Amino acid sequence: MVNPFQFLQEVRAEAGKVTWPTRRETFITTGLVILMVLFASLFFVIVDYALRFGVGLMLGVGH
């Protein structure tokens, strides 16, 4: 078993090695994620509409 105090010291030492992103990097990646979500949403709306239209035509409901 490891001493809890020693464990906390090691955790703090490891956390100090983490490279945190800058505010600018965070802003850019957040913007890119939002942009990709919008593109994916638009893509799935178009695919959903096309599939609904195609199935409607096949079933004869689309007149």
Side-chain angles (χ1 to χ4, degrees):
M1 296 265 322
V2 178
N3 181 359
F5 183 71
Q6 179 185 0
F7 174 75
L8 292 175
Q9 284 179 330
E10 291 174 6
V11 167
R12 186 167 184 196
E14 289 298 319
K17 296 177 185 177
V18 174
T19 303
W20 298 101
T22 64
R23 183 178 299 269
R24 183 173 186 270
E25 290 171 336
T26 303
F27 182 74
I28 290 171
T29 53
T30 301
L32 289 174
V33 167
I34 291 171
L35 188 65
M36 289 302 297
V37 166
L38 291 173
F39 281 137
S41 299
L42 182 63
F43 171 76
F44 285 116
V45 165
I46 292 170
V47 169
D48 180 55
Y49 180 75
L51 289 174
R52 187 172 9 132
F53 182 75
V55 169
L57 286 178
M58 284 190 289
L59 296 177
V61 181
H63 339 199

